[in-house]
Amino acid sequence: MGRQTFIFHNKPVVLSAFSIVGEKEGQGPMGHWFDHVSDDDTFGEPTWEKSESKMLRLAVEGAIKKSGKTKDDIDILLSGDLLNQIMSSSFMARDIDIPFIGLYGACSTMTESLMMASILTDGGYCDSAVNCASSHFCSAERQFRMPLEHGNQKPPCAPSTVIGAGAMVVSGKAGKRHCSGRNTGSDNRAGVITVDCATVGKIMDAGIKDSNEMGAAMAPAAVDTILAHFRDTGRSFSHYDMVITGDLGFTGKAIAMDIMKQAGISENQMREKFQDCGTLIYDKADGFEGGGSGCGCSASIFAGYIYKRMQEKSLKRVLMLSTGALLSTISPFQGESIPGIAHAVSLEVSEDD
Amino acid sequence: MGRQTFIFHNKPVVLSAFSIVGEKEGQGPMGHWFDHVSDDDTFGEPTWEKSESKMLRLAVEGAIKKSGKTKDDIDILLSGDLLNQIMSSSFMARDIDIPFIGLYGACSTMTESLMMASILTDGGYCDSAVNCASSHFCSAERQFRMPLEHGNQKPPCAPSTVIGAGAMVVSGKAGKRHCSGRNTGSDNRAGVITVDCATVGKIMDAGIKDSNEMGAAMAPAAVDTILAHFRDTGRSFSHYDMVITGDLGFTGKAIAMDIMKQAGISENQMREKFQDCGTLIYDKADGFEGGGSGCGCSASIFAGYIYKRMQEKSLKRVLMLSTGALLSTISPFQGESIPGIAHAVSLEVSEDD
């Protein structure tokens, strides 16, 4: 380990990924990259929490199905979400019935769970793991802000919580054999996507106390993890086709670029290669001036857009960072600022494909 | 991996452990085993959430100090608690400034975090990790039941959330060298405690809907993990000096013993070797008829009582299971039953000590 970075010498394979989103997300610029767009944000359930849990379950089941495995082949399920006591994940895991590790990293959960799944499979602790994360606008609004019925208004800088989930199946050696088999089939030109390293984040607190300013709260943590990753690996923006953060949104992305510029990173490189899921998922003109946020934002974009672009080899090396704001439902009322965290996972299309 | 069990071939060392509890816990039968008993349950903080976070920080700092390391030597911090968005852990981690992995496993967090710390150090992904968990009666009552000011009454079967935290420093190869060094000093007769394997739990839901009946809700999960551990390792109660669950309490422990009896485990062996932290921590006659519960129950007993008895070699092989009830603050109101989970970690006093 180089200080904060885990190196995966056995390069675990991301066998499959599945992304699922709600109606508005499906209408956005990323719409065609998702595996499933629901026209019913309730997912047929009587409460928003159960809707989110159902959506997450569909993502997990979708990823397992696409991997060519069955539920019984998966050794571990790693999941988290934004709800109190990760309700979506716990109840999903009860229904899925795979040994379960619950995580909480707020919106950093997708890369947190992928990092842990990579460690488990790279180290030979298990053959296959599924990792996932979700968020739902309606459950998040009620929990962190106001119930929808209140008709709450928000400032333009405030991002909108994405209705979405993403899941990936990660496999070690056994998975690779399986994967080679799969790629001799109809999907034979698709790239084999491996995880080569991951950088675990430190908490950074910029002193932001306004929970509408999540992007500003998370930007310093995102940059800190990017710089730690570059320091530990000797890499730079040049190594990657894309460096993509989770849900900084428009304001947060601009702040992150300012901080990176101060750290000596060239603006041209950033303009070419730096992206943020929160700025990609919605059409800004459609009332989403702040962009998207929530665990489901990076989960659905990574499992949809990024994974598929890597499969078609139009992206070969990507550094993905899910970014989390670790406030609680009551910490703002106790005068606390918002701690941010970001975990980075480096994916590459395997050369021996 | 034998289905649900991780085998640690490099046997990571638990370099140190630190336990801290509140006043009532200090007055209980386990009082003399804890490293620190506070006579102020507020820990000098203005809110209960901050009190819990402060207590957790003291546990982490105490464990690091006892390990002979400094904060800068620790690569990863793994923590979780019961609060919404694991507020105690997130704010503790902000102050501690070590790369952070947030977990949510309700009261199963102590063994969940120890298991993950063992994987990271055994696999060589990092040299040293600190894992921990906490709970606080006053923050838990407000969040899951009623604020203290309400003077809520509870049925005798309901356990009382422990004010307590525990932390352990786990090290891989580098740690072992360090540990051998340490044991040539004044503490030279203390046993070297290693982690030899861990079993990750599945969620079991017994259909219990009354959140006062946590022990009953968790007992099937505890037994399921114990039986999975025995199946995967070929071991039985005979292998261990003690098999100890987290916080089933008196009712839950009795139920667990009934289920194990049905599975063919001898009553004599259970009577001799099966323990539950929730039944050990309080004096039943002192108004704690239900026993203790909360992440801090197993965290403080494992880091205090169990760790110290292993150091003095009066226990040489222990299977520790923290047991979690994965209900949320609102799931009972939505008619949901309580999913239970338990993770097991096997500790042994190293033979080559």
PDB file of all heavy atoms in Angstrom, chain A residues 144-173:
ATOM      1  N   PHE A 144     -33.745  14.365   4.810  1.00  0.00           N
ATOM      2  CA  PHE A 144     -32.744  15.422   5.038  1.00  0.00           C
ATOM      3  C   PHE A 144     -33.335  16.833   4.960  1.00  0.00           C
ATOM      4  O   PHE A 144     -32.743  17.778   5.453  1.00  0.00           O
ATOM      5  CB  PHE A 144     -31.607  15.321   4.018  1.00  0.00           C
ATOM      6  CG  PHE A 144     -30.703  14.149   4.231  1.00  0.00           C
ATOM      7  CD1 PHE A 144     -30.767  13.046   3.402  1.00  0.00           C
ATOM      8  CD2 PHE A 144     -29.789  14.142   5.275  1.00  0.00           C
ATOM      9  CE1 PHE A 144     -29.921  11.962   3.594  1.00  0.00           C
ATOM     10  CE2 PHE A 144     -28.938  13.067   5.475  1.00  0.00           C
ATOM     11  CZ  PHE A 144     -29.011  11.973   4.633  1.00  0.00           C
ATOM     12  N   ARG A 145     -34.478  16.982   4.276  1.00  0.00           N
ATOM     13  CA  ARG A 145     -35.016  18.337   4.095  1.00  0.00           C
ATOM     14  C   ARG A 145     -36.477  18.368   4.522  1.00  0.00           C
ATOM     15  O   ARG A 145     -36.769  18.471   5.701  1.00  0.00           O
ATOM     16  CB  ARG A 145     -34.803  18.760   2.634  1.00  0.00           C
ATOM     17  CG  ARG A 145     -33.311  18.883   2.320  1.00  0.00           C
ATOM     18  CD  ARG A 145     -32.990  19.064   0.850  1.00  0.00           C
ATOM     19  NE  ARG A 145     -31.571  18.803   0.624  1.00  0.00           N
ATOM     20  CZ  ARG A 145     -31.064  17.630   0.216  1.00  0.00           C
ATOM     21  NH1 ARG A 145     -31.865  16.631  -0.090  1.00  0.00           N
ATOM     22  NH2 ARG A 145     -29.759  17.468   0.089  1.00  0.00           N
ATOM     23  N   MET A 146     -37.394  18.284   3.575  1.00  0.00           N
ATOM     24  CA  MET A 146     -38.820  18.355   3.889  1.00  0.00           C
ATOM     25  C   MET A 146     -39.543  17.266   3.086  1.00  0.00           C
ATOM     26  O   MET A 146     -39.109  16.927   1.991  1.00  0.00           O
ATOM     27  CB  MET A 146     -39.382  19.715   3.446  1.00  0.00           C
ATOM     28  CG  MET A 146     -38.966  20.865   4.325  1.00  0.00           C
ATOM     29  SD  MET A 146     -39.874  20.834   5.886  1.00  0.00           S
ATOM     30  CE  MET A 146     -39.050  22.186   6.735  1.00  0.00           C
ATOM     31  N   PRO A 147     -40.673  16.750   3.610  1.00  0.00           N
ATOM     32  CA  PRO A 147     -41.447  15.799   2.802  1.00  0.00           C
ATOM     33  C   PRO A 147     -41.907  16.486   1.509  1.00  0.00           C
ATOM     34  O   PRO A 147     -42.111  17.716   1.503  1.00  0.00           O
ATOM     35  CB  PRO A 147     -42.651  15.470   3.685  1.00  0.00           C
ATOM     36  CG  PRO A 147     -42.276  15.890   5.063  1.00  0.00           C
ATOM     37  CD  PRO A 147     -41.294  17.000   4.917  1.00  0.00           C
ATOM     38  N   LEU A 148     -42.067  15.746   0.457  1.00  0.00           N
ATOM     39  CA  LEU A 148     -42.457  16.321  -0.835  1.00  0.00           C
ATOM     40  C   LEU A 148     -43.715  17.166  -0.733  1.00  0.00           C
ATOM     41  O   LEU A 148     -43.852  18.201  -1.383  1.00  0.00           O
ATOM     42  CB  LEU A 148     -42.723  15.207  -1.851  1.00  0.00           C
ATOM     43  CG  LEU A 148     -41.534  14.352  -2.271  1.00  0.00           C
ATOM     44  CD1 LEU A 148     -41.940  13.470  -3.433  1.00  0.00           C
ATOM     45  CD2 LEU A 148     -40.343  15.218  -2.636  1.00  0.00           C
ATOM     46  N   GLU A 149     -44.662  16.711   0.118  1.00  0.00           N
ATOM     47  CA  GLU A 149     -45.959  17.386   0.244  1.00  0.00           C
ATOM     48  C   GLU A 149     -45.796  18.845   0.681  1.00  0.00           C
ATOM     49  O   GLU A 149     -46.680  19.668   0.500  1.00  0.00           O
ATOM     50  CB  GLU A 149     -46.846  16.648   1.266  1.00  0.00           C
ATOM     51  CG  GLU A 149     -47.278  15.249   0.845  1.00  0.00           C
ATOM     52  CD  GLU A 149     -46.210  14.184   1.039  1.00  0.00           C
ATOM     53  OE1 GLU A 149     -45.070  14.517   1.429  1.00  0.00           O
ATOM     54  OE2 GLU A 149     -46.526  13.013   0.783  1.00  0.00           O
ATOM     55  N   HIS A 150     -44.651  19.164   1.282  1.00  0.00           N
ATOM     56  CA  HIS A 150     -44.398  20.511   1.769  1.00  0.00           C
ATOM     57  C   HIS A 150     -44.109  21.479   0.629  1.00  0.00           C
ATOM     58  O   HIS A 150     -44.208  22.700   0.784  1.00  0.00           O
ATOM     59  CB  HIS A 150     -43.210  20.460   2.748  1.00  0.00           C
ATOM     60  CG  HIS A 150     -42.888  21.758   3.408  1.00  0.00           C
ATOM     61  ND1 HIS A 150     -41.873  22.583   2.972  1.00  0.00           N
ATOM     62  CD2 HIS A 150     -43.441  22.381   4.465  1.00  0.00           C
ATOM     63  CE1 HIS A 150     -41.824  23.660   3.756  1.00  0.00           C
ATOM     64  NE2 HIS A 150     -42.762  23.559   4.668  1.00  0.00           N
ATOM     65  N   GLY A 151     -43.767  20.948  -0.546  1.00  0.00           N
ATOM     66  CA  GLY A 151     -43.479  21.801  -1.702  1.00  0.00           C
ATOM     67  C   GLY A 151     -42.291  22.715  -1.475  1.00  0.00           C
ATOM     68  O   GLY A 151     -42.299  23.880  -1.873  1.00  0.00           O
ATOM     69  N   ASN A 152     -41.268  22.186  -0.837  1.00  0.00           N
ATOM     70  CA  ASN A 152     -40.075  22.963  -0.488  1.00  0.00           C
ATOM     71  C   ASN A 152     -39.372  23.526  -1.730  1.00  0.00           C
ATOM     72  O   ASN A 152     -39.291  22.877  -2.751  1.00  0.00           O
ATOM     73  CB  ASN A 152     -39.105  22.025   0.255  1.00  0.00           C
ATOM     74  CG  ASN A 152     -38.140  22.785   1.133  1.00  0.00           C
ATOM     75  OD1 ASN A 152     -38.491  23.823   1.681  1.00  0.00           O
ATOM     76  ND2 ASN A 152     -36.935  22.267   1.277  1.00  0.00           N
ATOM     77  N   GLN A 153     -38.876  24.745  -1.605  1.00  0.00           N
ATOM     78  CA  GLN A 153     -38.076  25.328  -2.683  1.00  0.00           C
ATOM     79  C   GLN A 153     -36.606  25.278  -2.299  1.00  0.00           C
ATOM     80  O   GLN A 153     -36.267  25.315  -1.127  1.00  0.00           O
ATOM     81  CB  GLN A 153     -38.494  26.781  -2.909  1.00  0.00           C
ATOM     82  CG  GLN A 153     -39.834  26.885  -3.614  1.00  0.00           C
ATOM     83  CD  GLN A 153     -40.150  28.312  -3.984  1.00  0.00           C
ATOM     84  OE1 GLN A 153     -40.124  29.191  -3.129  1.00  0.00           O
ATOM     85  NE2 GLN A 153     -40.435  28.539  -5.254  1.00  0.00           N
ATOM     86  N   LYS A 154     -35.754  25.231  -3.280  1.00  0.00           N
ATOM     87  CA  LYS A 154     -34.330  25.194  -2.959  1.00  0.00           C
ATOM     88  C   LYS A 154     -33.568  26.175  -3.829  1.00  0.00           C
ATOM     89  O   LYS A 154     -34.005  26.502  -4.932  1.00  0.00           O
ATOM     90  CB  LYS A 154     -33.771  23.779  -3.117  1.00  0.00           C
ATOM     91  CG  LYS A 154     -33.959  23.203  -4.498  1.00  0.00           C
ATOM     92  CD  LYS A 154     -33.394  21.795  -4.601  1.00  0.00           C
ATOM     93  CE  LYS A 154     -33.551  21.326  -6.046  1.00  0.00           C
ATOM     94  NZ  LYS A 154     -33.000  20.022  -6.298  1.00  0.00           N
ATOM     95  N   PRO A 155     -32.418  26.644  -3.315  1.00  0.00           N
ATOM     96  CA  PRO A 155     -31.624  27.588  -4.095  1.00  0.00           C
ATOM     97  C   PRO A 155     -31.028  26.890  -5.324  1.00  0.00           C
ATOM     98  O   PRO A 155     -30.855  25.670  -5.312  1.00  0.00           O
ATOM     99  CB  PRO A 155     -30.516  28.002  -3.123  1.00  0.00           C
ATOM    100  CG  PRO A 155     -30.435  26.924  -2.112  1.00  0.00           C
ATOM    101  CD  PRO A 155     -31.799  26.325  -2.023  1.00  0.00           C
ATOM    102  N   PRO A 156     -30.721  27.659  -6.364  1.00  0.00           N
ATOM    103  CA  PRO A 156     -30.222  27.061  -7.604  1.00  0.00           C
ATOM    104  C   PRO A 156     -28.951  26.234  -7.423  1.00  0.00           C
ATOM    105  O   PRO A 156     -28.726  25.279  -8.162  1.00  0.00           O
ATOM    106  CB  PRO A 156     -29.933  28.276  -8.493  1.00  0.00           C
ATOM    107  CG  PRO A 156     -30.754  29.378  -7.938  1.00  0.00           C
ATOM    108  CD  PRO A 156     -30.873  29.119  -6.476  1.00  0.00           C
ATOM    109  N   CYS A 157     -28.119  26.578  -6.421  1.00  0.00           N
ATOM    110  CA  CYS A 157     -26.870  25.827  -6.237  1.00  0.00           C
ATOM    111  C   CYS A 157     -27.113  24.420  -5.719  1.00  0.00           C
ATOM    112  O   CYS A 157     -26.258  23.549  -5.847  1.00  0.00           O
ATOM    113  CB  CYS A 157     -25.939  26.566  -5.274  1.00  0.00           C
ATOM    114  SG  CYS A 157     -26.588  26.641  -3.593  1.00  0.00           S
ATOM    115  N   ALA A 158     -28.277  24.191  -5.103  1.00  0.00           N
ATOM    116  CA  ALA A 158     -28.524  22.898  -4.459  1.00  0.00           C
ATOM    117  C   ALA A 158     -28.763  21.807  -5.497  1.00  0.00           C
ATOM    118  O   ALA A 158     -29.615  21.946  -6.360  1.00  0.00           O
ATOM    119  CB  ALA A 158     -29.728  22.997  -3.526  1.00  0.00           C
ATOM    120  N   PRO A 159     -28.008  20.724  -5.408  1.00  0.00           N
ATOM    121  CA  PRO A 159     -28.226  19.625  -6.345  1.00  0.00           C
ATOM    122  C   PRO A 159     -29.488  18.849  -6.011  1.00  0.00           C
ATOM    123  O   PRO A 159     -30.033  18.969  -4.917  1.00  0.00           O
ATOM    124  CB  PRO A 159     -26.987  18.756  -6.155  1.00  0.00           C
ATOM    125  CG  PRO A 159     -26.514  19.048  -4.778  1.00  0.00           C
ATOM    126  CD  PRO A 159     -26.921  20.449  -4.460  1.00  0.00           C
ATOM    127  N   SER A 160     -29.935  18.063  -6.949  1.00  0.00           N
ATOM    128  CA  SER A 160     -31.140  17.265  -6.788  1.00  0.00           C
ATOM    129  C   SER A 160     -30.730  15.802  -6.620  1.00  0.00           C
ATOM    130  O   SER A 160     -29.929  15.291  -7.392  1.00  0.00           O
ATOM    131  CB  SER A 160     -31.986  17.449  -8.051  1.00  0.00           C
ATOM    132  OG  SER A 160     -33.217  16.819  -7.904  1.00  0.00           O
ATOM    133  N   THR A 161     -31.277  15.144  -5.583  1.00  0.00           N
ATOM    134  CA  THR A 161     -30.887  13.750  -5.320  1.00  0.00           C
ATOM    135  C   THR A 161     -31.380  12.842  -6.444  1.00  0.00           C
ATOM    136  O   THR A 161     -32.571  12.837  -6.778  1.00  0.00           O
ATOM    137  CB  THR A 161     -31.457  13.260  -3.980  1.00  0.00           C
ATOM    138  OG1 THR A 161     -31.063  14.165  -2.953  1.00  0.00           O
ATOM    139  CG2 THR A 161     -30.942  11.876  -3.640  1.00  0.00           C
ATOM    140  N   VAL A 162     -30.468  12.077  -6.996  1.00  0.00           N
ATOM    141  CA  VAL A 162     -30.785  11.212  -8.127  1.00  0.00           C
ATOM    142  C   VAL A 162     -31.608  10.006  -7.681  1.00  0.00           C
ATOM    143  O   VAL A 162     -31.327   9.402  -6.644  1.00  0.00           O
ATOM    144  CB  VAL A 162     -29.471  10.739  -8.797  1.00  0.00           C
ATOM    145  CG1 VAL A 162     -29.704   9.557  -9.735  1.00  0.00           C
ATOM    146  CG2 VAL A 162     -28.815  11.900  -9.541  1.00  0.00           C
ATOM    147  N   ILE A 163     -32.636   9.689  -8.449  1.00  0.00           N
ATOM    148  CA  ILE A 163     -33.336   8.421  -8.277  1.00  0.00           C
ATOM    149  C   ILE A 163     -32.573   7.418  -9.125  1.00  0.00           C
ATOM    150  O   ILE A 163     -32.658   7.428 -10.355  1.00  0.00           O
ATOM    151  CB  ILE A 163     -34.796   8.511  -8.750  1.00  0.00           C
ATOM    152  CG1 ILE A 163     -35.541   9.561  -7.921  1.00  0.00           C
ATOM    153  CG2 ILE A 163     -35.478   7.146  -8.662  1.00  0.00           C
ATOM    154  CD1 ILE A 163     -36.999   9.747  -8.303  1.00  0.00           C
ATOM    155  N   GLY A 164     -31.772   6.612  -8.461  1.00  0.00           N
ATOM    156  CA  GLY A 164     -30.951   5.689  -9.242  1.00  0.00           C
ATOM    157  C   GLY A 164     -30.170   4.737  -8.379  1.00  0.00           C
ATOM    158  O   GLY A 164     -29.958   4.969  -7.183  1.00  0.00           O
ATOM    159  N   ALA A 165     -29.745   3.659  -8.991  1.00  0.00           N
ATOM    160  CA  ALA A 165     -28.901   2.669  -8.310  1.00  0.00           C
ATOM    161  C   ALA A 165     -27.977   2.035  -9.333  1.00  0.00           C
ATOM    162  O   ALA A 165     -28.261   2.034 -10.529  1.00  0.00           O
ATOM    163  CB  ALA A 165     -29.754   1.598  -7.632  1.00  0.00           C
ATOM    164  N   GLY A 166     -26.866   1.541  -8.843  1.00  0.00           N
ATOM    165  CA  GLY A 166     -25.925   0.829  -9.702  1.00  0.00           C
ATOM    166  C   GLY A 166     -25.349  -0.337  -8.938  1.00  0.00           C
ATOM    167  O   GLY A 166     -25.218  -0.280  -7.708  1.00  0.00           O
ATOM    168  N   ALA A 167     -25.031  -1.404  -9.644  1.00  0.00           N
ATOM    169  CA  ALA A 167     -24.426  -2.581  -9.013  1.00  0.00           C
ATOM    170  C   ALA A 167     -23.392  -3.169  -9.958  1.00  0.00           C
ATOM    171  O   ALA A 167     -23.528  -3.057 -11.176  1.00  0.00           O
ATOM    172  CB  ALA A 167     -25.492  -3.621  -8.682  1.00  0.00           C
ATOM    173  N   MET A 168     -22.350  -3.743  -9.384  1.00  0.00           N
ATOM    174  CA  MET A 168     -21.301  -4.384 -10.177  1.00  0.00           C
ATOM    175  C   MET A 168     -20.973  -5.742  -9.571  1.00  0.00           C
ATOM    176  O   MET A 168     -20.994  -5.901  -8.352  1.00  0.00           O
ATOM    177  CB  MET A 168     -20.031  -3.523 -10.174  1.00  0.00           C
ATOM    178  CG  MET A 168     -20.191  -2.197 -10.907  1.00  0.00           C
ATOM    179  SD  MET A 168     -18.648  -1.225 -10.873  1.00  0.00           S
ATOM    180  CE  MET A 168     -19.108   0.156 -11.948  1.00  0.00           C
ATOM    181  N   VAL A 169     -20.649  -6.690 -10.428  1.00  0.00           N
ATOM    182  CA  VAL A 169     -20.172  -7.989  -9.952  1.00  0.00           C
ATOM    183  C   VAL A 169     -18.666  -8.050 -10.197  1.00  0.00           C
ATOM    184  O   VAL A 169     -18.213  -7.868 -11.331  1.00  0.00           O
ATOM    185  CB  VAL A 169     -20.876  -9.156 -10.670  1.00  0.00           C
ATOM    186  CG1 VAL A 169     -20.249 -10.491 -10.265  1.00  0.00           C
ATOM    187  CG2 VAL A 169     -22.364  -9.145 -10.345  1.00  0.00           C
ATOM    188  N   VAL A 170     -17.915  -8.239  -9.120  1.00  0.00           N
ATOM    189  CA  VAL A 170     -16.456  -8.242  -9.192  1.00  0.00           C
ATOM    190  C   VAL A 170     -15.958  -9.650  -8.895  1.00  0.00           C
ATOM    191  O   VAL A 170     -16.422 -10.279  -7.946  1.00  0.00           O
ATOM    192  CB  VAL A 170     -15.857  -7.257  -8.166  1.00  0.00           C
ATOM    193  CG1 VAL A 170     -14.344  -7.177  -8.309  1.00  0.00           C
ATOM    194  CG2 VAL A 170     -16.475  -5.878  -8.331  1.00  0.00           C
ATOM    195  N   SER A 171     -15.028 -10.122  -9.715  1.00  0.00           N
ATOM    196  CA  SER A 171     -14.544 -11.481  -9.528  1.00  0.00           C
ATOM    197  C   SER A 171     -13.033 -11.548  -9.541  1.00  0.00           C
ATOM    198  O   SER A 171     -12.373 -10.764 -10.220  1.00  0.00           O
ATOM    199  CB  SER A 171     -15.085 -12.389 -10.632  1.00  0.00           C
ATOM    200  OG  SER A 171     -16.259 -13.021 -10.197  1.00  0.00           O
ATOM    201  N   GLY A 172     -12.505 -12.509  -8.796  1.00  0.00           N
ATOM    202  CA  GLY A 172     -11.068 -12.744  -8.772  1.00  0.00           C
ATOM    203  C   GLY A 172     -10.687 -13.721  -9.870  1.00  0.00           C
ATOM    204  O   GLY A 172     -11.234 -13.683 -10.968  1.00  0.00           O
ATOM    205  N   LYS A 173      -9.753 -14.611  -9.563  1.00  0.00           N
ATOM    206  CA  LYS A 173      -9.242 -15.533 -10.578  1.00  0.00           C
ATOM    207  C   LYS A 173     -10.339 -16.367 -11.218  1.00  0.00           C
ATOM    208  O   LYS A 173     -10.400 -16.514 -12.429  1.00  0.00           O
ATOM    209  CB  LYS A 173      -8.197 -16.454  -9.943  1.00  0.00           C
ATOM    210  CG  LYS A 173      -6.852 -15.773  -9.797  1.00  0.00           C
ATOM    211  CD  LYS A 173      -5.861 -16.691  -9.120  1.00  0.00           C
ATOM    212  CE  LYS A 173      -4.643 -15.876  -8.697  1.00  0.00           C
ATOM    213  NZ  LYS A 173      -3.850 -16.570  -7.696  1.00  0.00           N
TER     214      LYS A 173
END
